[in-house]
Amino acid sequence: MALLSLTASHHELDLDALERLSTGAHSIGGSAVAACDVITGAVVLATCNRFELYLDVDAPLDGTGVQHATEHVARMVAEASGVEVAEALASFRTRAGTEVAEHLFAVASGLDSMVVGEREIAGQVKRALETAHADGVTSSTLELLFQTASRTSKKVSTHTTLGGAGRSVVALGLDLAAAELPPWPQVRAVLIGTGSYAGASLAALRALGCDDVRVYSQSGRAEEFAAARGVEAVTDLVAALEDADLVVSCSGARGRALAADAARPGAERREQAIEHVLDAAAVVRARERAAVRAGEEPVARPTVVLDLALHRDVDPRVADVEGVLLYDLATLAAHSPSIASELVTQARAIVDEATRAFEKTRLGRAADTAVVALLADAERRVALEVADVVALREADGDPVEPDEADEIARGVRRRVHADLHRAIVAARAEAVAAAQAEERAVVADAQALVHEAAGVR
């Protein structure tokens, strides 16, 4: 068994490229397991700024095997997203073995996020495993990997203040919006979406003192969402926008439309137009209605729009509407604050410790053969020593009774095993180090082969 991950994030790709690549992401895990015999488990982690696949591969870990699995999955991603195979291949970074755990643990702890220290990612990592488990496409190794990632994230949260300030994409967006808004208790907000990000956005707004929140959803779930949280559901988005100071859009509905469209035949897919959840025309109509209602009084308040969806809920042309300020993920990434290096160092130390412990468990199986061989050799030594003692006693005319022979054997075994402990520790460490070195070499070789196949130089 070998752990592999294919990762693409805002560190390597711009958000437009990441958006294209992640279309149809959630179907990839099940498809990979169903279509490739050597892939025994898969978990997909797709968030607003990353698209990652974690695979359990039942095949010898060599460069060709890693290359085959990587290319196979990249072709499936290309088919689901509509990008070229070469683009998909070039977009992913391949990791194996120790690097897989180290990366996921850092991701789950908020160390690899657009806003370092953000806490939403911990829930997203947990839900990624739950989804794969519900779909029946995990493996015992992937279950352990993701469960350990969640425990590591919780330990970072408990033992450091990295996420203590409520750092998140939502919080950063609201911080930027605040400069253009009235005091929070006076803000009239419209929330588009009913998913986990919508819940986090509503909680953040309430924490700031904003209680005038209306919820809109294309899916028809606004009533249920609003009733459970004590806010108002609306069905006419344009009417709701008329007096809105702030719009927070995080529905991901356009992403789902893109994914469904990507499943269509190629020609039909190209002809299909994907509409934004909030387009410029709707915003213009809302501003015009507000102006008519105001009469001679100018519409002094601007409308701030936060688009927190990777697949852009909001038409970028909204930014051209007079009196409207649009902040999307790219804007938020550019304004992401730095964080104290000592906090990152503390969190990294926890991640490193968790990685070592996980790898000790995972790679312990690689050392089992060596340990079993040492134990078998020790038993042979015990048997030989006992046989020698019995032979000497019998040569002196002092036969050894069975019970006494057993006692002699126990004494010899205690002595031999005391010496053996150091040898077992050394053998296990050597086997684990050898496995890690092999995995690093294999991944480097496979990455070179994959990039060569993708035409990357």
Side-chain angles (χ1 to χ4, degrees):
M1 289 288 187
L3 278 178
L4 292 179
S5 68
L6 281 68
T7 66
S9 74
H10 66 283
H11 295 300
E12 297 89 16
L13 301 176
D14 61 51
L15 290 173
D16 287 335
L18 190 58
E19 176 182 342
R20 291 194 303 274
L21 193 68
S22 64
T23 303
H26 295 288
S27 67
I28 297 300
S31 299
V33 172
C36 187
D37 290 341
V38 299
I39 298 177
T40 60
V43 179
V44 177
L45 176 62
T47 74
C48 66
N49 54 27
R50 70 181 62 254
F51 173 33
E52 305 189 343
L53 297 100
Y54 293 83
L55 308 173
D56 196 350
V57 181
D58 185 12
L61 191 66
D62 56 42
T64 303
V66 173
Q67 179 197 19
H68 172 75
T70 301
E71 289 183 348
H72 187 83
V73 174
R75 285 191 177 89
M76 299 177 77
V77 170
E79 176 64 25
S81 63
V83 305
E84 296 296 326
V85 174
E87 180 182 350
L89 280 170
S91 298
F92 285 117
R93 174 176 173 180
T94 304
R95 293 178 172 88
T98 303
E99 284 192 338
V100 175
E102 182 179 20
H103 175 70
L104 179 60
F105 297 171
V107 166
S109 300
L111 290 171
D112 197 61
S113 297
M114 184 183 296
V115 180
V116 175
E118 63 110 347
R119 302 308 307 154
E120 282 107 340
I121 186 63
Q124 291 164 336
V125 167
K126 182 179 179 181
R127 287 190 293 275
L129 177 61
E130 290 172 347
T131 299
H133 186 82
D135 292 341
V137 294
T138 57
S139 68
S140 59
T141 302
L142 286 173
E143 295 265 1
L144 177 62
L145 175 70
F146 273 75
Q147 289 166 1
T148 306
S150 293
R151 288 195 296 270
T152 303
S153 172
K154 186 174 294 185
K155 190 170 183 180
V156 168
S157 178
T158 302
H159 291 82
T160 76
T161 58
L162 187 64
R167 299 172 63 85
S168 67
V169 172
V170 173
L172 175 59
L174 294 179
D175 284 347
L176 291 177
E180 307 296 335
L181 295 172
W184 284 109
Q186 300 173 24
V187 170
R188 296 166 299 210
V190 173
L191 182 61
I192 301 176
T194 56
S196 59
Y197 249 50
S201 298
L202 178 58
L205 285 167
R206 282 177 161 166
L208 291 168
C210 175
D211 292 317
D212 187 350
V213 181
R214 288 156 289 173
V215 180
Y216 171 82
S217 173
Q218 285 187 328
S219 66
R221 289 192 288 265
E223 286 283 354
E224 180 182 354
F225 179 94
R229 293 164 178 81
V231 293
E232 178 187 354
V234 296
T235 56
D236 187 338
L237 181 58
V238 173
L241 294 175
E242 287 182 35
D243 64 350
D245 302 304
L246 173 67
V247 180
V248 181
S249 191
C250 48
S251 76
R254 183 168 179 264
R256 291 190 291 274
L258 282 165
D261 185 53
R264 300 173 185 269
E268 186 178 351
R269 178 171 58 216
R270 286 191 293 271
E271 294 170 1
Q272 179 80 3
I274 303 300
E275 297 181 356
H276 293 88
V277 179
L278 178 60
D279 59 28
V283 176
V284 169
R285 289 198 302 274
R287 299 289 292 179
E288 288 175 345
R289 291 184 187 179
V292 170
R293 189 175 60 186
E296 296 181 0
E297 294 294 325
V299 181
R301 287 183 173 182
T303 301
V304 180
V305 180
L306 296 181
D307 187 356
L308 304 182
L310 173 60
H311 293 286
R312 285 195 178 90
D313 279 351
V314 181
D315 185 343
R317 290 174 293 183
V318 165
D320 298 327
V321 179
E322 184 178 357
V324 177
L325 298 174
L326 172 62
Y327 297 119
D328 59 12
L329 289 176
T331 309
L332 299 186
H335 287 82
S336 178
S338 60
I339 194 165
S341 60
E342 62 268 21
L343 289 180
V344 174
T345 300
Q346 291 172 13
R348 284 285 178 192
I350 293 172
V351 166
D352 290 345
E353 180 185 1
T355 301
R356 286 192 295 270
F358 175 81
E359 287 302 296
K360 184 177 180 181
T361 299
R362 185 181 73 87
L363 293 177
R365 288 172 292 183
D368 284 348
T369 301
V371 172
V372 168
L374 284 172
L375 289 170
D377 182 65
E379 284 303 308
R380 285 192 294 271
R381 287 170 53 194
V382 169
L384 287 173
E385 286 197 35
V386 171
D388 288 344
V389 170
V390 171
L392 286 173
R393 290 271 299 272
E394 289 181 346
D396 292 338
D398 182 17
V400 178
E401 297 297 327
D403 289 347
E404 190 178 2
D406 290 342
E407 182 61 31
I408 293 171
R410 282 192 290 271
V412 172
R413 188 172 287 109
R414 281 194 295 270
R415 175 170 51 78
V416 169
H417 279 206
D419 294 336
L420 183 64
H421 175 72
R422 290 185 293 273
I424 288 176
V425 171
R428 184 176 291 275
E430 183 179 349
V432 169
Q436 290 173 333
E438 179 188 4
E439 287 179 339
R440 285 193 294 268
V442 165
V443 172
D445 180 41
Q447 193 75 62
L449 290 171
V450 168
H451 279 181
E452 182 179 350
V456 178
R457 298 289 182 264

